[in-house]
Structure formats: C-alpha cells, structure tokens
Amino acid sequence: MTAAATAATGAAVALPRRVNPVEGLRHTFTLAWRSLVQLKHNPLELLDLSVQPIMFVVLFTYVFGGAISGSTGDYLTFALPGIVVQNALFASVTTGVGLNTDLTKGVFDRLRSLPIARSAPLAGRIIADTVKQAWSIALILGLGVILGFRVHGGVQGVLAAFVLLLVFSLAVSWIAVLVGLLAADPEKVQIFAFVVVFPLTFTSNAFVPADTMPGWLQAWVDVNPVTILADAVRGLLSGGAAATQVGQSLLWAVAIAAVFAPIAVRTFKRRV
Amino acid sequence: MKAPQENAPLRSTFPRGPRDEQTTHAILAEGLVKRFGDTTALDGVDLAVRRGTVLGLLGPNGAGKTTAVRILATLLRPDSGRATVGGYDVVHDAHQVRRLIGLTGQYASVDETLTGLENLILIGRLLGLSRPEARGRGRELLAEFRLEDAANKAAKAYSGGMRRRLDLAASLVGRPQVLYLDEPTTGLDPRSRNEMWDIVRDLVSGGVTVLLTTQYLEEADLLAEEIVVIDHGRVIATGTPDELKGRVGAQTLAVRARYPVDTPIVESIVAQVAGRAPEAQGGLLTVPVTDPAVLPAVVRRLEEAEVAIGELALRGSSLDEVFLALTGHRAEDETEDQNQPERILA
C-alpha cells in the first residue's frame, strides 16, 4: 500500500530515491505476467506461437520428406532439429514486435511515467518471450515425436537442446530488441524478420543436406550459425557427437549478445 | 475565480533546494528548452501551478504543449531550464516525481489487449499494491468511472469516451497529487466531454493539482484557475480566464456587407467602434470585442451610413481568434478536429 499511502499523505514524506532490486524484480515479473495475459486475449498471437510451428513440421515432413530423404520418417529425423531452430529464430523476433507495439501505442510511456525499475519493461518482456519460446519448442518436439521422430539422446539430450535453443534465441532477441526500438511500426519489424530469417535458415542445412548445393553456397552453409546450431540440436537429440557444434553455437550466441546487447541497451536508454 | 497571478513572483518562489517544502506550487518550471533536430519545441517556457489548482496550457497543435508535459512527467529531459514537481527535480529526482504524478495523454496509453480491470491491476501491482489491494482499487476506479460493465472487456473494444475514462482511471491508481491531462477531450463527443469535465472538477475538489493541455478555449475557461497560452514553444500570455478575456476580447464581432462594394465603409465603421482594425477574410470582417454594446453601436452606424448588411453576428472567440489577438497571426493549426465548440468564452 506504500505508493498510494505516500502519495495521499503528501510530499512531506521523504520518498525513496530509487527502486530497490527486490522491487525491481517484482516489477519485472509483473510485466512478464502482463505479456503472458495478453495471450489470453489475443488468440492470434497464440496461433502464431502454435499453428505456425505445427504447420511447418507437418508441411515439411509430408511435402519434402519423400523427395529429399526417401521417406517422411527419415526426413523428420533430419529436419525436425532444423525446424526447431528456424522457429526459435522467428519467435525471438516477437520480442522486437511486442516492444515496438508498446512504443508506438504509448504503453511504454505509461510504464515509464510510473515509479518502477527502468529495466523492468524490457526484462519483463524478455522473460515472457522466453516462456513463449519454450512453449513452441516443446510443441514442435512433442509433435515430432508423435509423427515418428525418435529421440536417442535421452532426457539429458532433450534438456540440453532445450537450454541451447533458449540461450541462442535469447542472444538473437537482442537484435530483435534493437530493431524493435528503431522501427517505425510493428509491421516493419515483421518484414525485417522475414527478410533476414528466411534466407538465413534456408541457406543452412536446417531443411536440406548441403551436398547438392553449389560449392560457393556450401561454403556459406558450413559457416552459417544456423547450420551449426541445427547440427548441435541434431547431435543432442539423436545422442550423437555434438560437443563441437554446441561449443560453437554457444560462442555464436555470446558473440551476437556481445555485439547487439550493448547497442540495444544504449538505444533503449536513449529512448527511456 | 482566484485573484490574478502576477508573473513576477515566479522567480522568487522558485525553490533554491530540490526539497523546499515551503513552496506553495506543485509544479514549477523555469526556462524549459527542448529541441528536436532543427525544430525548437520549447523555447524557454516558465510555468507555475499552485497546489490544488488547475492550470490550462492552451495552444494549437505543435505549440509545445505535449513536449512540456512530457518533460514534467520525466519522459523527456529538457535541453536547458529546470522544473520541479512537489519540490522534486524532474531530471535528478525523477523517481520521486514519478511517485507523485499521474499521466493521461494520447501517448500514455493502457494496454489495448488487456481488459480494463487487468490494466488497473497491472498498474496497482507495479505501484506496490498486493494482488487483492490492486484488484480492489481497480474495481473501485471502474465503479467511479462507470466502467464496471466493461471491466472484463478488452480495452480495444471500448468506445472513445470509455477509453479516455479508463486512461484517466489508470493514471489515478496511485492517487497522484499531480495529474497531467494532455488533451483529455480531443476527439470526444460533447457528452463524453462534459463527463470528463465533471471528473476533473471532482478530482480538483479532492485536492489534486492538474495541468491540463487543450486546444479548446472553452475547456480551459471552464476548468482552469489560470491559463497559459503557448505558441511556437513560447508563452505568449498568462492570466486568469477573466484577464485573458479582457485582453483578447471575450467575443468576436463578425460583419459582412451585403454588397462587396460597401466592404471598405463597413471596415472603417467597425474599426472606429471596436477600436481596432478588423481582420478581413473574403468579405467577412471580424474583430475581437470586450464590450457587448459594440453590436448595437455598429448597427446604428451602419444604418446611418445606409449600408445593407449581409451578415452580422456576435459570437464567442475561437482559439484562432485568440491567437490572432495575442500574436497577430493565425494559429498555424492543422487540427483535423473541425468540430470544436464555436461558443467559447462566455
């Protein structure tokens, strides 16, 4: 009742100069709650998070499966990790779209006029988006298993793949945050996602093995972080060798975050 | 109506320390300057709002009203100048200022995807209320603003008037001492506008200090003890509504000669009677007047001159005319909102 009580009794009471860390954490979780409650009222976003992954898994498996791998089952084993990666990249753009919506609709200014931790609106959103991300990853893996994907990496492998995907998309979401802060409207953030994520995931071995591609493309595919991450997830889920790829994926995540997080935070502070 | 406020004491009452409790003003701003690239949004604005009163910040679109509010609400830093709210500096003690203020404006929105109640609970929780307290405060505000039936509807389904009331309710969750209302009635129908005015009067009678920005002279006149008129980022007039009416002319006399050839004669008669040259637009001559006796005087003189009158009216001054009287130029205003009330200062 502190805020209301203090405000009602007058300025004679010395007000605290800043938010204490425990309060800041509570603000962050309250705003994460808000992002998740939005799902309840915006079924379209829930569709985006659920139907799109399901659609990708089903379409890729049954349309491309036979042609690429000879059978849908074999293809699923190869492509499911790639689909998970592609979906994770698309989902991390959600952070930018949501942030931009808050900025353009004025919700952000309302939050900024409140005596809350300056980082809470961004941190709350990132936490909520990580929960959404986990939901789509689980959905794709679950659906894959139903359609015939066999996990050989055990519970540990699945958990490790899960964590790796979350860490990687958290790193990528800094790019999304930056774009979300700079874009004029949410649609532009979406367009950016399509223009970047589509070519990036298709010029990897996420959906198709690289051997039939021209040499110059293969050279790119080999260094494309999407390939590395897809191979890492494949290795973890199938129980095969994955240490090198996991290590490289983590390095990529660290590099992306190291470059984009400071720029995004600086841009954020300038707007805040 | 309160006694006229002089501009002179502003500097002397400006608190020396950030926590001067002696201050009788809830908001004090001195020399606020804010530039965006090449445009100067605020060019040295001084404001002083006494505790428990309403200050009306009047001006056309782009005058700098919103920039001023955003600075006072800690959303923007001024390039120079300083401002305090409740004795706290808006830049250095921003966190304390945020504890005292409530902000309602088109840019400070509720979350459209959440319901009215969820929005209020969200803010209550962020302000440190427990879950049941936040829910209780939310319900209380919804009841106060007649939004109970829409409590569980998403805010985007609200009508314009309901939405404004929810925005206002959201800014009142923390029982602020100082409330910023940035164009609270722009785009509202007359009924919703009247409701909004009643709400503001209630808040003020409860001791809240209000800074109201508006494009409507009528609104400032009805609600504010004091009006500050700004244009191009500068304060061009300050005073009580009565003082402004005295300076600007409460009403506008509009005359049109039946035959355009007579326009020069009409012009000279109007100028003599009203004491200032009328503004001509097409054949319509308008001049601000303070004395209603001007109307019969003009009629008599026109009769004597045997000039046929096409149109003759005495009406409340519009914002445009106030600007013309104060600045000599029309409010360069691209207001989309054409249904401003015609009847203004009464």
Side-chain angles (χ1 to χ4, degrees):
Chain A
M1 206 42 213
T2 49
T6 314
T9 49
V13 185
L15 298 176
R17 278 195 62 79
R18 34 187 94 257
V19 186
N20 76 50
V22 180
E23 276 180 358
L25 211 61
R26 228 204 33 239
H27 299 151
T28 301
F29 282 111
T30 303
L31 286 164
W33 165 81
R34 169 235 166 185
S35 291
L36 293 173
V37 170
Q38 283 182 330
L39 285 177
K40 200 173 80 189
H41 303 293
N42 192 2
L44 272 180
E45 200 192 337
L46 198 61
L47 278 186
D48 212 37
L49 283 172
S50 316
V51 171
Q52 196 174 304
I54 293 173
M55 198 179 67
F56 271 118
V57 173
V58 173
L59 284 179
F60 273 76
T61 305
Y62 292 104
V63 175
F64 295 142
I68 293 171
S69 302
S71 83
T72 53
D74 286 349
Y75 182 67
L76 193 63
T77 306
F78 175 77
L80 193 74
I83 296 172
V84 171
V85 169
Q86 189 205 35
N87 191 75
L89 291 180
F90 270 121
S92 47
V93 176
T94 327
T95 307
V97 176
L99 187 62
N100 190 273
T101 308
D102 276 357
L103 285 168
T104 47
K105 294 252 176 183
V107 176
F108 216 72
D109 276 346
R110 157 84 63 200
L111 296 177
R112 288 176 54 213
S113 74
L114 297 174
I116 60 171
R118 299 293 90 187
S119 60
L122 186 58
R125 177 163 291 286
I126 289 175
I127 289 177
D129 287 342
T130 305
V131 173
K132 293 176 191 171
Q133 185 72 266
W135 157 258
S136 335
I137 295 170
L139 192 71
I140 293 180
L141 291 181
L143 183 68
V145 169
I146 292 169
L147 296 182
F149 181 84
R150 289 295 158 254
V151 176
H152 298 291
V155 179
Q156 279 168 316
V158 175
L159 280 181
F162 225 95
V163 171
L164 180 64
L165 285 163
L166 289 181
V167 168
F168 197 88
S169 42
L170 202 61
V172 171
S173 65
W174 285 111
I175 305 179
V177 166
L178 183 62
V179 175
L181 287 168
L182 297 175
D185 56 67
E187 284 73 29
K188 295 216 171 64
V189 183
Q190 291 280 14
I191 292 168
F192 168 85
F194 272 89
V195 169
V196 173
V197 177
F198 251 112
L200 203 62
T201 50
F202 273 81
T203 58
S204 75
N205 73 358
F207 309 117
V208 179
D211 5 318
T212 60
M213 298 178 194
W216 57 267
L217 187 55
Q218 286 194 28
W220 160 246
V221 169
D222 285 344
V223 296
N224 185 341
V226 178
T227 303
I228 296 163
L229 182 60
D231 279 341
V233 173
R234 268 184 203 116
L236 290 171
L237 291 178
S238 67
T244 317
Q245 285 86 348
V246 170
Q248 286 177 344
S249 302
L250 288 175
L251 275 181
W252 265 106
V254 170
I256 293 170
V259 172
F260 287 97
I263 303 176
V265 166
R266 217 178 52 200
T267 312
F268 178 76
K269 279 190 173 155
R270 204 173 302 152
R271 281 203 78 150
V272 170
Chain B
M1 228 34 94
K2 299 272 158 46
Q5 272 285 114
E6 283 168 290
N7 271 342
L10 176 65
R11 273 164 209 284
S12 53
T13 54
F14 200 89
R16 297 286 157 240
R19 278 176 207 84
D20 188 342
E21 303 300 344
Q22 300 304 98
T23 178
T24 53
H25 290 85
I27 304 172
L28 279 171
E30 193 177 51
L32 292 182
V33 173
K34 184 70 193 177
R35 293 183 199 90
F36 298 104
D38 289 340
T39 48
T40 302
L42 289 183
D43 194 7
V45 166
D46 296 345
L47 291 172
V49 190
R50 279 170 295 124
R51 285 187 191 285
T53 67
V54 181
L55 180 96
L57 197 54
L58 181 70
N61 276 344
K65 305 188 296 286
T66 294
T67 305
V69 172
R70 289 175 64 96
I71 288 173
L72 295 173
T74 76
L75 298 179
L76 274 182
R77 279 163 174 259
D79 293 334
S80 67
R82 56 175 298 204
T84 58
V85 176
Y88 292 104
D89 187 281
V90 294
V91 175
H92 302 294
D93 313 315
H95 184 64
Q96 289 98 317
V97 170
R98 292 181 192 120
R99 286 211 165 271
L100 303 177
I101 61 170
L103 175 63
T104 302
Q106 277 137 329
Y107 50 84
S109 168
V110 296
D111 184 338
E112 290 188 329
T113 52
L114 299 189
T115 67
L117 183 60
E118 282 166 350
N119 266 299
L120 300 182
I121 292 176
L122 171 68
I123 291 170
R125 294 287 289 150
L126 288 174
L127 291 175
L129 301 184
S130 72
R131 211 163 282 145
E133 280 168 348
R135 179 170 291 272
R137 179 74 179 131
R139 291 229 172 264
E140 189 181 310
L141 283 164
L142 289 171
E144 212 171 299
F145 292 151
R146 298 189 301 100
L147 290 167
E148 285 158 305
D149 296 342
N152 296 314
K153 261 199 239 170
K156 63 180 163 225
Y158 281 30
S159 71
M162 287 162 72
R163 180 58 194 276
R164 289 301 167 83
R165 296 205 300 274
L166 179 61
D167 279 332
L168 184 53
S171 62
L172 295 175
V173 173
R175 302 179 207 277
Q177 297 177 10
V178 175
L179 185 64
Y180 303 122
L181 298 172
D182 196 8
E183 305 208 5
T185 63
T186 301
L188 287 188
D189 59 77
R191 187 169 155 264
S192 305
R193 188 172 287 175
N194 278 318
E195 281 177 358
M196 199 51 117
W197 289 340
D198 287 341
I199 293 171
V200 175
R201 287 192 193 99
D202 279 355
L203 287 168
V204 176
S205 67
V208 176
T209 306
V210 175
L211 177 66
L212 169 97
T213 80
T214 182
Q215 302 184 33
Y216 306 134
L217 200 52
E218 180 190 20
E219 186 161 285
D221 184 33
L222 283 172
L223 297 176
E225 276 92 344
E226 190 164 4
I227 297 176
V228 170
V229 186
I230 67 169
D231 186 34
H232 294 303
R234 287 178 169 280
V235 174
I236 57 172
T238 307
T240 64
D242 286 336
E243 284 174 323
L244 275 186
K245 278 187 268 186
R247 285 179 56 185
V248 165
Q251 289 171 312
T252 295
L253 178 72
V255 196
R256 186 197 300 276
R258 178 130 184 214
Y259 306 106
V261 287
D262 293 333
T263 302
I265 309 169
V266 177
E267 197 167 351
S268 74
I269 290 172
V270 170
Q272 281 168 31
V273 177
R276 65 201 294 175
E279 163 94 348
Q281 266 200 332
L284 187 68
L285 304 166
T286 54
V287 68
V289 292
T290 38
D291 181 2
V294 165
L295 181 67
V298 167
V299 172
R300 213 178 312 119
R301 292 285 304 273
L302 288 172
E303 252 173 23
E304 286 164 17
E306 296 185 337
V307 172
I309 300 165
E311 184 181 338
L312 179 69
L314 192 61
R315 56 182 168 74
S317 298
S318 68
L319 178 62
D320 206 36
E321 284 151 349
V322 171
F323 266 75
L324 189 64
L326 288 172
T327 64
H329 70 83
R330 294 202 164 264
E332 282 145 40
D333 183 14
E334 323 68 50
T335 328
E336 315 88 297
D337 189 297
Q338 287 308 320
N339 33 5
Q340 299 193 11
E342 257 305 305
R343 192 74 207 105
I344 313 236
L345 288 175

